[in-house]
Each structure stands twice: as C-alpha cells, then as structure tokens.
Amino acid sequence: MTAHVEAGQRTQLPPVRAHRDRPFGIYIHVPFCAVRCGYCDFNTYTPAELGGANPDGWLAALRTELRLAAERLGAPPEVQTVFVGGGTPSLLGAVGLGAVLDGIRDHFVLAPGAEVTTESNPESTSPRFFAGVRAAGYTRISLGMQSTASHVLAALDRVHAPGRAVAAAREARAEGFDHVNLDLIYGTPGESDEDLLRSADAAIEAGVDHVSGYALIVEDGTALARRVRRGEIPAPDDDVHARRYELLDRRLGDAGFDWYEVSNWSRAGGECRHNIGYWNGGQWWGAGPGAHSHLDATRWWNVKHPNAYASVLDAGELPVADFEVLDADTAHVEDVMLGVRLRTGLPAATLSDQERDRAAQAVRDGLLRAEGPHLVLTDRGRLLADAVVRDLLT
C-alpha cells in the first residue's frame, strides 16, 4: 500500500517504531557533487543546480531532521551503524563530516563498536582529511575508484587521476583505518579484460579489506544513456559483464577475498555491517534530501531537492515525500530477492511449498546449492541471480 499526496498537501508519516532487538542504522545523504558523472542517476546536485542551497544550510536542516526523528521514535535504540553517502560526502571536509556525526550524537546514542562509514571521492581527500575524520569517530572509508584505466575513467566522466584512488586508500590505512573499501565498475565501453584485472590488482595491492564490483548500468535520463542512444558508444554487453564478473571474482578470491553478497567481497571481518542490515531487511532512518528509511513494515522517502527539504524542516515537519506500508506478500518478495544474494544464503523455511519445488529445480540446474537449512547461489547462479529470484517467485 502506498500513500499518495494531493497537490499542496504534505505527507504525514504514520506511527513507526524501532525494535530494540534488531540492529538499527542511520543513513545520511549528502547531495553535493562537484561534477555529475555521466552514468549517475543518484539524487545529487552540482553547484549550478543548487539554487542557493549550500552545505551550511543542508547541515542545519539535517540537524533538525535528526532531532525530529529522535522525537518521533521516542526512546530510539542504540545506533549500530552509520553510513554517510551521496553525492560526495568528502566535499564537506573533515570538519563538516565531524559536524554530521555530532548531529547524530546530539540525539542518538552510538553503540560501542558502532561501524561509522563515509563515502569519499579520491580527488577530495588527503592524509589530513583522513586523520580528521578518523579523529571525529569514523571507522570505515569507502572510495569511488571505478578503474585505474584513464580511458575508462574518461568514459565514466570521473575526474580523479588513475592512481589517485589507490593512493587515497593507502593514506586512509596509514591514518588508522582498518576498514577501507574500493568501488569498481566493470563493463564500461572501451574497457578490456586486462583493464579490469589491472584495476583489481591495484585495489588488492592498496591493502584494502573490501572491494565492491558493479556492472555498468545505463540509467534512463543520464548523459551515458543519451550517448548510447545517439550511437556514440555501444551499450554494455551482458556476456561481457558475465566474463568480467568471473575474472574479478577469481582474482579477488586468489588474493584472499570472499564474496559475502553478489557484488561485494571482503577479507575476514571486513564486511560492511550497514549494508548487511539493508540486505537482511533491517531497520534504518535515512536523513537528508531524497533519503529512504525503513522501520516496522513502513518505508518512506524524503523530498529530493535540498531547498524543498530545508523548507519543510523549517516548518517543523519531517520532510517525507511519500511512504508505503509493505504487505506480507511484498515483504516476502523482498526477503527472497535480497536474501538470495547473500553468501549466508536464503533460509529454505521462508519459501512456500511451491517456491521450494522451484528451488529444488534450481539446485538441479546448478544455480543453487543446499547448505544446511539455507539455499546459496553457486558460482553460475551468481551470474544469473536476478533470474533465480524471478524463477523462485513466479
């Protein structure tokens, strides 16, 4: 069920509560970017698109949302994970990111050993930046590397130099971060197998404990989609994606990384706890323009533009654009869709009798295997994860 809002009305969030027996996280969305990457369809804004909005105004509005969130939850549970994403959070600098974390601490209690992550773009970091965010209380850094090949970075409209992400990862490690992630994108037009392998090797040699690898997707409305439509570059190829995934998986596996989600590999203890919360259907409050939240069976999302976001909060209201209450069938579909992607697997007991029959066929087809009470994707099944989900549910 989804709530729809008439023109001129504001959406009122229904009652929600956070369960103390389940992990609780906070996501912070930073909407600022220096430039827009051609493949990106996230809710981000360059300076020319902000219409007067600025980081100081955003931070003031964010503090208000965090206060209202804590008031709405009453006695919120301890925060197990924080993830500051974007956009480009590192544009706030260490002082700004420290202020974000202070805003959370003003109204919530961080659990002992809480995981606190910030995304960062390599070109807006430095040893001083990493020292500052480490001192502020961040425990994990996630860097957008994408590739070490200059022609791949150019195709993606990335502005950092090919070696900057690796240098940034080493700087973060030198400043005391045990947990550092590098994001890779594979399947970009013009990329070769060797380009990807060199990027994977560079990530491994940087000493990080986590790598994420994503197939390039052409999203509607992006500059990349317009270039593909005009025939300037070819659309990404599914067969190439599959081969590159296998290459990346093998290279990372040989270096001691294990997959724990279809697109994520880590050394022991390096898993991103915040994202595991998403995949396990956990509970989190998303603060910031366009941020999504999930509590009880309710999912909601904020108004997108920073100016509209601040305006609603100035009026003393939560900046909710819309919400939906998940019924049992929808929640089941999402449990299957997300659970099957995890290395821990999908509990067979969550499936209906018909779905278990389909799962047995997937086992016979070599796409799933039974590990105790769980169903886990095989290597071939990971390449066809979306199809496995569709077959289980239909």
Side-chain angles (χ1 to χ4, degrees), residues 8-24:
Q9 293 182 341
R10 286 193 177 139
T11 302
Q12 298 299 315
L13 183 67
V16 294
R17 66 190 181 99
H19 298 267
R20 292 184 172 275
D21 59 343
R22 298 169 60 192
F24 175 74

Side-chain angles (χ1 to χ4, degrees), residues 79-206:
V79 179
Q80 302 290 331
T81 63
V82 173
F83 196 105
V84 183
T88 309
S90 47
L91 287 177
L92 300 176
V95 172
L97 284 168
V100 169
L101 199 50
D102 287 342
I104 295 173
R105 291 192 183 105
D106 285 344
H107 304 290
F108 294 86
V109 175
L110 293 182
E115 176 191 87
V116 185
T117 303
T118 182
E119 292 182 335
S120 302
N121 273 6
E123 71 277 7
S124 52
T125 63
S126 66
R128 182 177 180 181
F129 167 84
F130 291 121
V133 293
R134 181 68 176 147
Y138 287 83
T139 67
R140 186 172 181 276
I141 295 290
S142 183
L143 290 157
M145 176 180 179
Q146 320 316 352
S147 178
T148 57
S150 58
H151 61 281
V152 174
L153 293 174
L156 295 172
D157 295 321
R158 299 291 291 185
V159 298
H160 63 263
R164 177 57 203 152
V166 168
R170 289 175 173 152
E171 290 166 1
R173 296 275 292 134
E175 295 299 336
F177 281 96
D178 294 326
H179 303 301
V180 180
N181 169 66
L182 285 169
D183 281 346
L184 296 176
I185 289 179
Y186 57 87
T188 301
E191 178 195 60
S192 68
D193 290 353
E194 285 304 314
D195 289 331
L196 175 62
L197 290 173
R198 279 192 289 269
S199 297
D201 287 343
I204 293 164
E205 291 163 7

